[in-house]
Amino acid sequence: MRLTSYKSILRDRRVFVDFLAILFGIGSWIGINSTFVQFPLLVASAPERWDLPSFIVVIIQLGNLGPLAYTLIQKYSPKKILDAHVIYGILGIGCMAALAMCFVYDITAYVAGMQRSVWLFVVVFFLALVGCSSSVLFMPYMGRFREIYLITYLIGEGLSGFLPSTLALIQGVGGNDQCVLRNTTDGGQEYELYTPPPRFGTAQFFAFVTTFMVVSLGAFVLLENLSVCKKEYAAVKIDRGNKYTYDESSKINESGEQLTLQEDSGFTNLSVTTYRALLVLMGIICMFGNGIFPSIQSYSCLPYGNIAYHLTVTLSSIANPLACFLAVFLPHTSIRMISILSSIATAIGVYAVATAVMSPSPPLLGNIGGEILVVLSWTVLNGLISYMKLSITTIFRQQGGKSLVWVGGVSQIGSFSGAILAFVLINNAELFTSYTPTCPATP
């Protein structure tokens, strides 16, 4: 790409609006992503153990009840509900839920005769309301802005995984389980399984998350109310239920002059077949990326040790914003490229699923090469998934109408289907087997 092309990316845009869009995007999934990167610690102490991710993923999908209710109200209510008002409420719920997580994540209760992480599940549900609603509220809301700001919003959405992942890397997981000698009451010695503690706990971790949720809410208040932000609207008519009609030929620059943007010069309408095929592909990507893969990741990685699982979870989340960042500079609306990347992701996904099915004895167990391979596979896989989702979303943004709402709806349907399928396979079909480290009885 020529230097002039890079300069054109920064021309005719307000960096302040970019900054607010990024902060707004951070608030979308930071609560759920933070829960995911805490799995290596939560799995070790929760009564559900390795099955905890499958429970959490299903509860996250129950968060779709929020956007479902919003969609029904928009369709049948005689009064139009302003999406900005709903977003205020959703982000407020996210702030309170993140704060509550600091205090209740380890409180359990008996349900059907078994200990369950009830309060963790309740808080995750409210955090999920924020994330699930972002697909049908936050992203369509950004549709009123010029396309360049949709990409920066998606960068912020990616940072909702990067920031907690970076903090999790600093936090650490303590290390792999170790067998240490301890003295017994009868004067002898025996081995005891010991897991080194992290640098700081889950409560302190979610205090950081709460801070960013509050910052995200403040950014949205500014984005919605400042005139400098409203000047960056596309030439768009917003109808009931986030239905947008664009006049892409008419845009306004910083001086208030009319201009025609290069970014939209390549716009073409999709055929009905391609439109539907991309929607189906988006549903499949979300079914695996948001439903199946997170549920089975513990079975794929934990046999290689706590450190491998910790690095997989954190680096996979970092790959998300990196993929979105690269999309700013690389072509990301090529349907042919999406097809190629989906084939590569399929091959890597097969390996990831195979390691989970073969647990507790996956390939190259006990070999450093196996640990590197599983971490690298999951990281690249999540990066590809993020890049494809961004590419498809950008293509549908150009289609106008209710395309972004359709993308959001299909994404949630795919995610929900994947979560339910994974939950049944893990908890009922007994397809996956956990690994429990043991120590020798005597020295």
Side-chain angles (χ1 to χ4, degrees):
M1 184 181 290
R2 295 177 301 176
L3 182 61
T4 53
S5 298
Y6 289 108
K7 288 181 179 179
S8 67
I9 293 173
L10 300 176
R11 190 171 60 238
D12 298 320
R13 70 191 301 158
R14 287 192 179 272
V15 176
F16 179 65
V17 179
D18 282 314
F19 180 65
L20 292 180
I22 289 172
L23 292 179
F24 176 44
I26 288 173
S28 59
W29 287 99
I30 191 171
I32 292 303
N33 287 328
S34 297
T35 305
F36 278 129
V37 298
Q38 287 296 286
F39 274 167
L41 297 178
L42 295 174
V43 164
S45 59
E48 294 81 9
R49 305 296 290 179
W50 287 28
D51 294 342
L52 179 66
S54 65
F55 281 87
I56 293 294
V57 169
V58 170
I59 291 170
I60 289 172
Q61 299 312 316
L62 292 178
N64 286 308
L65 294 174
L68 176 62
Y70 166 79
T71 302
L72 293 176
I73 292 173
Q74 284 283 41
K75 185 175 180 62
Y76 297 108
S77 174
K79 284 187 176 182
K80 178 180 179 181
I81 299 178
L82 295 178
D83 54 355
H85 294 171
V86 181
I87 294 173
Y88 284 137
I90 290 294
L91 286 175
I93 290 173
C95 292
M96 292 184 289
L99 181 62
M101 184 70 91
C102 299
F103 304 100
V104 304
Y105 72 92
D106 57 350
I107 298 178
T108 62
Y110 274 98
V111 177
M114 299 180 66
Q115 284 276 8
R116 294 295 184 192
S117 305
V118 175
W119 289 107
L120 173 64
F121 295 160
V122 171
V123 174
V124 166
F125 170 75
F126 286 107
L127 291 175
L129 282 179
V130 181
C132 294
S133 298
S134 70
S135 296
V136 295
L137 274 171
F138 296 13
M139 192 164 59
Y141 175 85
M142 291 305 300
R144 69 189 62 192
F145 289 89
R146 292 158 54 196
E147 181 183 346
I148 51 178
Y149 298 112
L150 176 62
I151 294 178
T152 49
Y153 163 81
L154 290 172
I155 291 175
E157 192 173 281
L159 285 174
S160 70
F162 177 83
L163 292 173
S165 296
T166 302
L167 184 64
L169 286 175
I170 298 172
Q171 178 189 31
V173 74
N176 292 325
D177 296 324
Q178 305 171 4
C179 292
V180 297
L181 278 173
R182 71 175 183 87
N183 295 323
T184 61
T185 54
D186 58 3
Q189 289 184 320
E190 67 179 10
Y191 283 110
E192 182 180 58
L193 195 65
Y194 170 73
T195 303
R199 294 183 179 90
F200 53 88
T202 299
Q204 292 79 10
F205 184 92
F206 273 96
F208 164 85
V209 176
T210 303
T211 301
F212 259 96
M213 284 298 305
V214 173
V215 170
S216 181
L217 175 58
F220 176 71
V221 172
L222 298 178
L223 203 59
E224 169 66 13
N225 294 285
L226 290 183
S227 59
V228 68
C229 299
K230 294 181 179 180
K231 289 180 181 178
E232 296 303 303
Y233 281 6
V236 58
K237 178 183 177 182
I238 307 173
D239 295 325
R240 187 183 184 89
N242 282 330
K243 183 176 181 180
Y244 296 165
T245 304
Y246 294 101
D247 178 8
E248 297 291 352
S249 63
S250 178
K251 303 289 176 92
I252 302 174
N253 66 9
E254 293 185 1
S255 302
E257 301 171 341
Q258 297 294 113
L259 56 89
T260 300
L261 292 177
Q262 292 289 332
E263 66 186 27
D264 296 312
S265 60
F267 166 74
T268 56
N269 284 317
L270 297 176
S271 66
V272 174
T273 301
T274 303
Y275 191 99
R276 292 175 179 174
L278 286 177
L279 281 178
V280 171
L281 179 60
M282 188 67 158
I284 294 173
I285 290 172
C286 291
M287 180 177 72
F288 282 93
N290 299 339
I292 294 176
F293 288 153
S295 299
I296 67 173
Q297 197 172 55
S298 59
Y299 290 92
S300 172
C301 301
L302 268 175
Y304 296 99
N306 294 334
I307 295 177
Y309 185 31
H310 175 67
L311 289 175
T312 296
V313 171
T314 52
L315 294 180
S316 295
S317 296
I318 291 174
N320 185 325
L322 179 61
C324 295
F325 179 76
L326 290 176
V328 176
F329 303 99
L330 299 176
H332 55 276
T333 57
S334 168
I335 296 177
R336 176 177 295 180
M337 180 57 66
I338 292 173
S339 301
I340 294 172
L341 294 179
S342 63
S343 299
I344 297 173
T346 299
I348 300 175
V350 169
Y351 173 77
V353 172
T355 57
V357 173
M358 296 173 69
S359 175
S361 301
L364 300 176
L365 182 64
N367 188 310
I368 186 65
E371 297 179 27
I372 294 174
L373 184 58
V374 75
V375 172
L376 184 62
S377 298
W378 279 104
T379 303
V380 173
L381 179 60
N382 280 277
L384 290 174
I385 288 173
S386 299
Y387 194 87
M388 289 188 292
K389 287 197 293 186
L390 183 147
S391 299
I392 295 173
T393 299
T394 304
I395 290 173
F396 275 100
R397 186 268 175 198
Q398 296 173 337
Q399 302 304 304
K402 302 184 74 171
S403 294
L404 285 178
V405 178
W406 275 111
V407 170
V410 168
S411 299
Q412 298 310 321
I413 292 173
S415 301
F416 180 78
S417 302
I420 295 299
L421 177 61
F423 183 85
V424 172
L425 292 177
I426 292 172
N427 295 280
N428 297 103
E430 298 182 355
L431 186 61
F432 303 93
T433 306
S434 62
Y435 167 73
T436 303
T438 57
C439 293
T442 57

